Amino acid sequence: MAIEKFEAGKQFAAHLTATDPLGSYRDRFHIPKKRDGSHAVYLCGHSLGLQPKSARAYVEQEMKDWEQLGVEGHFQARNPWMPYHELLTASTARLVGAKPDEVVVMNSLTVNLHLLMATFYRPSTERHKILIETNAFPSDRYAVASQIRFHGYDPADSLIEMSPRAGETNIRIEDIEALGQAEGERIALILFPGVNYYSGQAFDCDRITKAGHAKGCVVGFDMAHGAGNLALKLHEWDVDFAAWCSYKYLNSGPGGIAGCFVNERHARDTGLTRFAGWWGHDKESRFRMGPDFQAIASAEGWQLSNPSILALAALRASMDIFDEAGMDRLRAKSERLTGYLEYLLKQNGSNRFQPVTSSDPAQRGAQLSLRISTNGRKVCDQLAGAGIICDWREPDIMRVAPVPLYNSFMDVYCFAEEFFRAIGS
Ligand SMILES: *Cc1c(COP(=O)(O)O)cnc(C)c1O
């Protein structure tokens, strides 16, 4: 993509906003309001996505069917609850670049990571290590360390945490490859994020997967910040497994139901070791209630329980919008929107902040993280007071995420204006 020339000034922001081909999608979402009733500038979709206006009707349909049908709703609801999760399969597969039998929505993210590791982390004396990054999201680190202990190993020996080079904020892909080359034969599992939650670095999942597979490692990804943000190709990249939450870029609401990818090479193998539950049992014979588990020969075979229909309904509202807009178009807008934010920030000579997210569009998603060494939290609070919603991560990072579905170029402009005021004061 040719690098677009941006201009400073509010008029140019208005021009970009008026000519944005995806601009109308903003009207499909509830934008939080400031005290005076005007719209806030919401740049926090990396933490909790906004509510699609259609979500209420999707949820109310199920409330109504429950009210009127009781248990019969499992088969007689307008969208029968028994196979309700299947309504999300096609759109989820499109979103992450998977085949339909490679994806399932279920549980929450950390739960899914554990369930997938129950299958895909099978340590042996020769090969027991897990490779993650030093600044992994705490829940992921807790999960892998506890898996290592569960198998009788010690994280001090079995957990490799990879850091950027001294003085750098992003991990270089060639360093990941070199580590794979040197240590790969002892690594059972590589678990990397699609996008690091803190630095905003997007990783080259294709190359990481190839490097891991070359040494016989299983390669999984936490796509919490990747799903709905990047144009993923999980099948083509030959990723072994992935999991993500849906309340961030996927707008499913607080605590919404999560997603999983299991490569069809594994998904079809009903003999794989797993933690089983009745919802993963072969659909034809599930209600014979027999004693022996027979896995569904797809990602659905990792399901445990019948899922929350209300949570699925809210997610459907958002996934239908993603299907309409298309991830490729959203990613194209996202690159422009984040590029415009970066451009505006560069107009200011202040040395009170430094972007830590890569300046290479291929190595970032919708988020720019700004390091503010002194009084950063005050800056963030001051912005919040002015109705600009970002977030603060200790010790010194402000995360700003212009989301292509509902943020406008004008949002980005208003943020920059208020940010410069706050940083100058
Ligand atoms: C948001 C996030 C989580 C949150 O985990 P839940 O199980 O959904 O509470 C975990 N890991 C990463 C990388 C995240 O970004």
Side-chain angles (χ1 to χ4, degrees):
M1 199 166 74
I3 291 177
E4 185 171 354
K5 269 198 89 63
F6 295 117
E7 293 170 29
K10 193 164 189 169
Q11 229 178 334
F12 191 70
H15 164 73
L16 289 175
T17 303
T19 54
D20 170 7
L22 297 180
S24 65
Y25 282 98
R26 177 180 174 83
D27 299 332
R28 311 274 290 269
F29 289 84
H30 291 292
I31 312 288
K33 297 217 166 91
K34 302 189 216 174
R35 265 196 214 113
D36 68 4
S38 64
H39 282 145
V41 173
Y42 191 82
L43 298 168
C44 231
H46 60 287
S47 183
L48 186 74
L50 292 180
Q51 182 182 137
K53 288 178 181 167
S54 54
R56 184 177 295 271
Y58 280 70
V59 173
E60 276 179 355
Q61 176 69 46
E62 304 320 315
M63 293 297 285
K64 196 171 119 224
D65 286 344
W66 177 30
E67 178 185 307
Q68 296 178 352
L69 298 168
V71 71
E72 305 291 354
H74 284 301
F75 298 100
Q76 285 163 26
R78 184 201 276 184
N79 304 298
W81 302 327
M82 189 65 68
Y84 194 98
H85 64 278
E86 295 170 21
L87 296 172
L88 284 142
T89 303
S91 54
T92 301
R94 277 190 284 275
L95 184 87
V96 299
K99 295 191 175 179
D101 63 0
E102 292 177 316
V103 294
V104 62
V105 285
M106 62 184 198
N107 312 314
S108 51
L109 169 56
T110 309
V111 171
N112 288 344
L113 286 175
H114 275 297
L115 290 176
L116 292 165
M117 282 192 278
T119 299
F120 295 107
Y121 176 54
R122 312 285 301 156
S124 65
T125 326
E126 304 77 46
R127 193 191 274 274
H128 53 84
K129 299 192 184 204
I130 300 183
L131 171 65
I132 62 170
E133 5 115 71
T134 305
N135 289 317
F137 193 91
S139 195
D140 298 46
R141 195 186 184 285
Y142 305 153
V144 295
S146 65
Q147 284 278 338
I148 288 168
R149 287 194 195 94
F150 174 76
H151 286 281
Y153 295 88
D154 181 352
D157 307 320
S158 301
L159 187 59
I160 311 178
E161 294 174 273
M162 180 165 190
S163 304
R165 293 185 190 182
E168 298 186 2
T169 49
N170 292 289
I171 297 178
R172 298 191 195 194
I173 182 70
E174 60 269 27
D175 289 355
I176 302 173
E177 288 171 334
L179 187 73
Q181 193 64 31
E183 291 268 354
E185 268 134 45
R186 286 172 294 280
I187 295 174
L189 170 65
I190 298 174
L191 185 64
F192 252 65
V195 178
N196 177 280
Y197 80 103
Y198 189 76
S199 69
Q201 178 179 11
F203 288 93
D204 187 331
C205 305
D206 192 17
R207 276 175 68 178
I208 293 173
T209 305
K210 284 197 172 70
H213 284 175
K215 288 289 180 178
C217 316
V218 173
V219 184
F221 287 91
D222 183 325
M223 286 296 177
H225 289 262
N229 181 14
L230 305 175
L232 304 176
K233 299 195 170 98
L234 297 180
H235 178 83
E236 191 181 312
W237 298 335
D238 202 29
V239 165
D240 289 293
F241 71 87
W244 54 92
C245 49
S246 64
Y247 47 80
K248 293 171 179 166
Y249 292 102
L250 296 181
N251 317 308
S252 70
I257 197 155
C260 279
F261 166 89
V262 180
N263 192 299
E264 70 179 353
R265 277 186 288 121
H266 311 302
R268 288 186 182 151
D269 184 353
T270 55
L272 281 178
T273 300
R274 70 191 78 200
F275 289 169
W278 76 317
W279 225 251
H281 185 94
D282 170 55
K283 290 174 198 176
E284 300 299 311
S285 59
R286 180 188 291 152
F287 285 92
R288 283 188 217 133
M289 303 301 212
D292 294 319
F293 177 74
Q294 172 61 48
I296 301 170
S298 76
E300 289 194 10
W302 274 262
Q303 296 174 110
L304 298 184
S305 303
N306 73 105
S308 161
I309 299 300
L310 300 181
L312 288 171
L315 174 59
R316 256 184 86 210
S318 177
M319 291 302 294
D320 286 354
I321 299 174
F322 269 93
D323 249 357
E324 247 184 84
M327 202 54 233
D328 288 334
R329 289 203 301 160
L330 286 167
R331 174 64 176 152
K333 174 176 170 185
S334 180
E335 288 187 21
R336 293 182 68 212
L337 204 55
T338 306
Y340 179 57
L341 171 60
E342 181 180 49
Y343 165 84
L344 291 177
L345 289 171
K346 275 194 191 144
Q347 302 302 300
N348 186 290
S350 169
N351 58 5
R352 272 198 68 195
F353 71 92
Q354 295 88 36
V356 302
T357 309
S358 173
S359 58
D360 172 9
Q363 290 188 62
R364 68 187 184 202
Q367 168 190 339
L368 288 188
S369 297
L370 307 176
R371 173 163 286 137
I372 308 173
S373 319
T374 50
N375 291 330
R377 182 173 269 287
K378 243 179 79 187
V379 171
C380 210
D381 290 346
Q382 195 171 326
L383 286 173
I388 317 266
I389 303 170
C390 311
D391 73 4
W392 182 249
R393 282 287 168 271
E394 297 294 347
D396 57 3
I397 294 289
M398 188 167 89
R399 302 187 299 177
V400 188
V403 169
L405 254 185
Y406 49 72
N407 283 124
S408 64
F409 290 87
M410 189 57 82
D411 281 342
V412 169
Y413 180 84
C414 293
F415 161 80
E417 214 178 36
E418 220 34 78
F419 177 67
F420 295 152
R421 196 169 297 150
I423 210 102
S425 61

